[in-house]
Amino acid sequence: MAALRALLVPRLAAASAIDPLPELLRPLPVHGRTPSPHAALHGSAPRPRARVALVLSGCGVYDGTEIHEASAILVHLSRGGAEVQIFAPDVRQMHVIDHTKGQPSESEGRNVLTESARIARGKISDLAQLSAANHDAAIFPGGFGAAKNLSTFATDGKDCKVNKDVERVLKEFHGAGKPIGLCCIAPVLAAKVLRGVEVTVGHEQEEGGKWPYAGTAEAIKALGAKHCVKGVTEAHVDQKNKVVTTPAFMCETALHHIYDGIGAMVKKVLELTGK
């Protein structure tokens, strides 16, 4: 025991002579206890999470939300640390498409909120309950539901009407200076509601079928918005209006390119929240 003491005492004395923290950095006693020295080095508060509202238009590319786009948005929001709440309008779909045939199913009728709940795994709220005061940003995936259920763009083009709650939400977030993200065909909603906004749906020429919906760019211009040409992996940021858009499935390309473009859009939206 004496031999062990002889070994330890000099080492303990040497250790006490070297103060690992300057006096000013020593943590003060709390309720009679001195916190670990590491508390002084790791005391910064965690950053608040951005609260993002995701607005869906049904389930399925031809009559609702494009499912791959919604999923990609959710993955990128999760990776970005955002807190997400999902919404959809409680209205009847324009029609139901048999996705195996690409044709309307005349005998069926479906509800947009009910169908959107499939993507949301049941955790969804009526769009009428969405308030910009409770969220930092809003994002709208594409799919024909944006042009059929959230608006009448699919049938009326530049003379389309926008669902009253969709219009209200866009105006609320815009008026509050909070960012709005849209992809694929969804930018037509912002073009109709937010006059003079800058958006992209990709290229303005079909280019041999690579951009099959290129004509949408002219409709956007007819709505009074500015169309900006972008590649599928890019996002356009309208800094003045805090509107971020990306082409997604407006382009015929590999899925990972669409995923990357959506990631660029989500990243810019989160940056604009400042969180």
Side-chain angles (χ1 to χ4, degrees):
M1 198 62 156
L4 179 62
R5 217 179 268 118
L7 284 171
L8 288 177
V9 169
R11 293 187 182 186
L12 291 172
S16 63
I18 303 172
D19 194 340
L21 286 174
E23 190 66 30
L24 290 176
L25 291 182
R26 283 183 179 277
L28 296 174
V30 179
H31 301 304
R33 294 179 299 166
T34 301
S36 161
H38 297 295
L41 301 177
H42 302 285
S44 59
R47 293 180 64 183
R49 301 170 69 191
R51 299 164 299 170
V52 180
L54 181 65
V55 182
L56 304 183
S57 61
C59 181
V61 57
Y62 297 125
D63 58 10
T65 300
E66 212 300 319
I67 298 170
H68 295 292
E69 291 179 8
S71 180
I73 290 168
L74 287 167
V75 169
H76 286 296
L77 286 173
S78 176
R79 182 168 287 133
E83 178 183 334
V84 183
Q85 189 173 358
I86 304 177
F87 297 86
D90 187 5
V91 296
R92 188 178 176 85
Q93 285 186 191
M94 172 185 159
H95 59 189
V96 177
I97 296 292
D98 180 340
H99 280 60
T100 65
K101 301 174 181 175
Q103 297 174 352
S105 179
E106 302 295 345
S107 60
E108 278 192 84
R110 297 185 186 180
N111 177 278
V112 175
L113 178 62
T114 303
E115 290 301 295
S116 298
R118 295 175 181 273
I119 298 173
R121 298 172 63 87
K123 297 179 180 179
I124 196 165
S125 301
D126 187 341
L127 185 60
Q129 299 173 10
L130 173 54
S131 170
N134 300 325
H135 296 82
D136 301 303
I139 296 182
F140 293 75
F144 281 95
K148 293 178 176 180
N149 304 328
L150 303 188
S151 72
T152 63
F153 182 79
T155 54
D156 300 330
K158 66 180 181 62
D159 298 318
C160 67
K161 293 183 175 65
V162 175
N163 172 279
K164 61 181 179 62
D165 279 314
V166 172
E167 181 174 2
R168 174 187 60 80
V169 166
L170 289 170
K171 287 181 176 178
E172 275 188 16
F173 277 85
H174 181 256
K178 295 182 177 181
I180 300 166
L182 311 101
C183 64
C184 196
I185 193 67
V188 300
L189 301 172
K192 176 67 177 181
V193 175
L194 308 176
R195 304 295 290 182
V197 71
E198 296 178 5
V199 299
T200 188
V201 288
H203 288 201
E204 298 181 355
Q205 303 296 325
E206 290 190 15
E207 299 175 21
K210 184 177 181 180
W211 296 90
Y213 309 106
T216 307
E218 291 304 314
I220 283 172
K221 295 174 186 177
L223 287 168
K226 179 180 178 181
H227 183 260
C228 303
V229 173
K230 290 287 180 179
V232 68
T233 61
E234 297 178 297
H236 178 73
V237 183
D238 180 341
Q239 293 285 356
K240 178 183 176 182
N241 292 295
K242 291 190 176 180
V243 172
V244 188
T245 51
T246 191
F249 277 99
M250 299 298 276
C251 181
E252 287 288 341
T253 187
L255 183 59
H256 67 278
H257 294 315
I258 291 160
Y259 181 90
D260 291 346
I262 288 173
M265 181 266 286
V266 170
K267 181 180 179 181
K268 292 297 183 182
V269 167
L270 293 179
E271 286 177 359
L272 287 172
T273 68
K275 293 186 176 181

